[in-house]
Amino acid sequence: YVDQVELEQHDGVSAGKYTIGLGQSKMAFCDDREDISSVCMTAVQGFMEKFNVSYSDIGRLEVGTETIIDKSKSTKTVLMKLFEESGNFSVEGIDTTNACYGGTSALFNACQWMDSAAWDGRLALVVAGDIAVYASGNARPSGGCGVTCILVGPNAPLALEFPLRGTFMEHIYDFYKPNLSSEFPTVDGPLSVTSYVRAVDHAYTAYLDKLEKFGGVSQASLKDIDYIVFHSPYTKQVVKGLARIAYNDFLRAPESETFAEVQQFKEVTREESYGNKVLEKAFVGLSKSDFAAKTEPSLLAARNIGNMYTGSVFFGLASLLTEVPFEKLEGKRVAMFSYGSGCAASLYSFRVRADTSDIAATIRLNERLDMRTKVSPVEFERAMELREKTHNAQEYEPTGNVDE
């Protein structure tokens, strides 16, 4: 990983641009020794061993990723190499792609398979992750690299709340990858920020409507959610995301005493609110205590790894399980907001039904973060140049350091 303070100094930008402006501390990356297939294979093999899961018990394997090294062959089929020794080749599912949303769609596919007549009684494994890299410039510090694995089965400690789900999708070019000769995306930063909060608005409102209709909740709001995890391109965006939740609660109940300090925004339309920095600052302040209690514990990985695209929101969940003991999680509702540019977004929730202590102890998130190798910004830039130079190379022998 590279330290963001050191990267600020190396890039010659003002102190705090990455650490305060983006809310990032460290950024994970890999050189030409790794690609999406190799990092996913490492994650799956480690997961299966640590949680003592048999490959024979997996009936569906779904992969969510936007990191593509082949325009036809799926990463899921590469992962089948790990299943060979077990003799289990009857494993449904392939890759799902739409920016950072693919992992969430993969999870929904797996859960709905298990909830259908097609389910054969076996478990499902969802793999979500990416190598997030950007061209040299303002966006590069918002990269990262990470892969998550989610085991789906009956009587799980985290129970998905069907049908509590709000989804929003529209056609927009805020972040996309039209140049297949490069792994760098084309990004419209301001548009992407607006698209993210618009998606929060619509997905959250649709979720609350479902909570009232199917959950028997009257005047649903953030008070009915104990913890809320967001997709994190960088952690400062998550701060704005929760502020937007507060703004939507204000629109639903403007006369509530909770919103006595923001009555001046009653006449502002939703469309006018996008890009209104005064309004944004007011609701960031208003939601500060809720952020500290309900969202801050989920940002451990995001702050120290960076953006993991499809894996980001699930690393948020892993962080929450790490930072909050089961005694405080038991019976609680954990909401998840997933966003993928282009755009696709959903807000859904789990109930914590059983002890999560073993999950946290097995993940060992803090310990594993501390075990990583720190490199200088110069070495980081060298690795990025190497990846750019060798991207899409058909006949190539990696040169990266195998000792790190």
Side-chain angles (χ1 to χ4, degrees), residues 244-265:
R244 202 67 195 183
I245 295 289
Y247 173 68
N248 278 275
D249 282 352
F250 166 67
L251 293 182
R252 293 170 75 93
E255 305 304 327
S256 169
E257 291 183 8
T258 303
F259 305 113
E261 299 177 5
V262 290
Q263 290 299 301
Q264 66 270 32
F265 301 110

Side-chain angles (χ1 to χ4, degrees), residues 90-396:
S90 177
V91 183
E92 295 187 6
I94 49 171
D95 291 6
T96 301
T97 300
N98 186 88
C100 304
Y101 185 82
T104 293
S105 185
L107 176 65
F108 290 168
N109 290 346
C111 291
Q112 284 152 195
W113 169 72
M114 192 162 289
D115 197 45
S116 74
W119 184 44
D120 63 4
R122 291 183 294 168
L123 303 172
L125 182 65
V126 175
V127 181
D130 282 285
I131 300 170
V133 292
Y134 293 84
S136 181
N138 292 335
R140 176 156 283 182
S142 61
C145 176
V147 178
T148 57
C149 297
I150 306 100
L151 190 67
V152 181
N155 305 313
L158 300 178
L160 193 63
E161 294 190 293
F162 279 127
L164 303 185
R165 183 191 305 174
T167 291
F168 174 73
M169 300 200 181
E170 67 172 350
H171 175 53
I172 189 170
Y173 279 112
D174 60 322
F175 170 112
Y176 52 107
K177 297 177 178 178
N179 183 1
L180 297 181
S181 67
S182 170
E183 63 179 341
F184 299 146
T186 298
V187 186
D188 184 331
L191 180 60
S192 193
V193 170
T194 299
S195 181
Y196 183 103
V197 296
R198 271 175 52 81
V200 170
D201 287 356
H202 290 277
Y204 177 63
T205 300
Y207 175 86
L208 293 185
D209 290 344
K210 295 269 186 76
L211 191 56
E212 291 179 349
K213 182 177 181 179
F214 299 106
V217 175
S218 176
Q219 297 180 319
S221 69
L222 183 59
K223 74 180 187 307
D224 300 297
I225 297 172
D226 300 295
Y227 297 94
I228 181 165
V229 178
F230 289 82
H231 164 64
S232 178
Y234 48 89
T235 64
K236 184 57 76 71
Q237 182 62 48
V238 175
V239 175
K240 297 177 182 179
L242 191 74
R244 202 67 195 183
I245 295 289
Y247 173 68
N248 278 275
D249 282 352
F250 166 67
L251 293 182
R252 293 170 75 93
E255 305 304 327
S256 169
E257 291 183 8
T258 303
F259 305 113
E261 299 177 5
V262 290
Q263 290 299 301
Q264 66 270 32
F265 301 110
K266 285 177 65 175
E267 304 305 318
V268 177
T269 67
R270 186 186 294 276
E271 285 301 317
E272 292 171 341
S273 72
Y274 300 123
N276 187 326
K277 295 298 181 183
V278 176
L279 182 150
E280 179 185 275
K281 184 177 180 180
F283 281 92
V284 166
L286 186 70
S287 61
K288 192 171 183 179
S289 61
D290 280 331
F291 177 82
K294 301 187 178 197
T295 301
E296 176 72 31
S298 70
L299 295 179
L300 171 65
R303 187 171 286 117
N304 289 284
I305 297 176
N307 192 358
M308 296 147 280
Y309 289 165
T310 57
S312 173
V313 71
F314 300 113
F315 266 97
L317 180 59
S319 298
L320 182 71
L321 299 182
T322 297
E323 298 285 81
V324 181
F326 170 66
E327 291 72 22
K328 292 185 177 181
L329 290 172
E330 186 175 10
K332 296 296 192 292
R333 171 175 285 134
V334 179
M336 307 275 284
F337 173 71
S338 177
Y339 173 81
S341 292
C343 79
S346 291
L347 195 147
Y348 60 102
S349 58
F350 296 100
R351 279 284 187 183
V352 181
R353 298 299 190 192
D355 198 345
T356 56
S357 302
D358 286 345
I359 297 175
T362 304
I363 291 173
R364 300 182 300 117
L365 185 54
N366 275 302
E367 181 181 344
R368 292 168 69 186
L369 288 172
D370 291 340
M371 289 169 59
R372 296 178 299 166
T373 301
K374 177 183 175 182
V375 303
S376 70
V378 171
E379 292 175 278
F380 165 68
E381 290 291 351
R382 190 178 298 128
M384 293 299 98
E385 290 171 4
L386 183 59
R387 288 192 65 89
E388 183 175 9
K389 178 182 177 181
T390 59
H391 181 69
N392 276 353
Q394 293 178 326
E395 295 183 6
Y396 171 71

